[in-house]
Amino acid sequence: MLKVTKFGGSSMASAEQYKKVRDIVLSDPARRVVVVSAAGKKDKNDHKITDLLYLCYAHTRYGVDCGQVFDMITSRYFEIRDALGLQVDLETEFAVLKKRLDEKAVSQDELVSRGEYFSARLMAAYLGFQFVDAVDWVKFKMDGSVDQPASYAALRRQARGEGVVTPGFYGLMPDGQVHTFSRGGSDITGSLAAAALNASVYENWTDVSGILMADPRIVENPQAIPEVTYDELRELSYSGAQVLHEGAIFPVREKNIPLNIRNTNAPEDPGTMIQEQFDTDADPSRFITGITGKKDFSIVSMTKRGMSNQVGVLRAMLSVFERHGISIDYTPNGIDNVSVVVPTESIAACLYNILAEIQQEVRPDSLDVHDQIAVVAAVGRKMAFRPGISGKIFAALGQAGINIRMINQGPDELNIILGVDNRDFSRAIQVLYDSFAK
Ligand code: ASP
């Protein structure tokens, strides 16, 4: 059995965190592949190494000396190395890098990738594992997408040791240049490694005990979700906190490898398990997986009498939005009425044009815009075919005096979407959480 583990920036931020990582890795012999991020913040006032590297690059680009920032970066690594008593010659590598930087001989991608590179060098030494550089296995195609077969084959060839540490976030372009993923991309590297090696699980270690049932800025101390499917996760992350880089889903999903979000600071917590589907139900009394939402939507609502008997009215309305390049979130409708729900920001610039065009092309009996709408989504795969869930939702909101402005439920019954006034947003989330969390 093989588990691929990925440790995020907060897990790599200090020598103490390295110790926790080591304890976690060594406590399970299956944890033989370790993907690491660059050092993150030790505390609120600290800086992420990756941010400092971007800053360093910006300095040199504009001809400003980056010596001070560079020293901040190197001192973080020296601190960790020395506190752990590791014998890794960072001095020489840093000197070479600084020289190349001064000569403007380092690309931005290469420079920012060094955060992960040095993390991995130190962690490999600390664990006594083999260091496999990401440029030796993560292969990009010219269009910037990952060449999965080539990358998988390369990692299988490279990872010969008993244990392997590899840096996240970057790889190699066909022209030999270092290329990085977008921010947070070490999650993708971990997922690729898990897929390459057919791991039994991809463990993504971070600083929360999994994906939370609701936004902790709204609900105090929300529970972590024990099990979530990929489809639910997509619904939850569309409007909620992003725990994982979106690109991290595909490689493991393709190979049906479960993804487990874990907390380096609370390794005994089981975290959140993400899978295509769950054959058994660990918790049959839990109906709602999570509650999420976003504020600041607009509802463009049109009524046209007799619309239900006419062909093409809906298309005519929607094509106006399409012409303006507006992506539509929901289209709740009645017999002679249809509403289009979009983020206010996305239509602000062209709203009056859109309304004028709808007037002209669709000739509605009425056309209104409602602003300050929040969308709240109760997500749960187990809602399907289970009567009473929406009743419970509406009762809870009704009792709290929250007016529902819109209701939408997809045919897959994966979520119930409600529109409420912006001012009721937080309360709606709290009320739903209180009625469904256990
Ligand atoms: N270090 C990179 C970032 O801060 C990549 C990562 O941590 O996943 O975005």
Side-chain angles (χ1 to χ4, degrees), residues 302-309 334-338:
M302 178 203 75
T303 303
K304 186 173 168 70
R305 278 190 292 279
M307 174 181 148
S308 61
N309 302 322
I335 300 253
D336 284 341
N337 169 287
V338 61

Side-chain angles (χ1 to χ4, degrees), residues 90-117:
L90 297 174
E91 283 80 354
T92 316
E93 290 199 55
F94 283 145
V96 173
L97 182 63
K98 182 68 176 40
K99 185 160 173 292
R100 288 181 57 222
L101 195 58
D102 291 339
E103 290 164 357
K104 295 197 166 47
V106 189
S107 70
Q108 173 169 277
D109 277 16
E110 183 181 350
L111 181 63
V112 300
S113 76
R114 297 304 84 187
E116 270 65 17
Y117 170 82

Side-chain angles (χ1 to χ4, degrees), residues 152-174:
Y152 293 177
L155 184 60
R156 285 197 285 262
R157 267 196 316 275
Q158 298 279 335
R160 301 218 159 275
E162 265 304 283
V164 166
V165 178
T166 190
F169 191 39
Y170 68 94
L172 200 69
M173 290 294 276

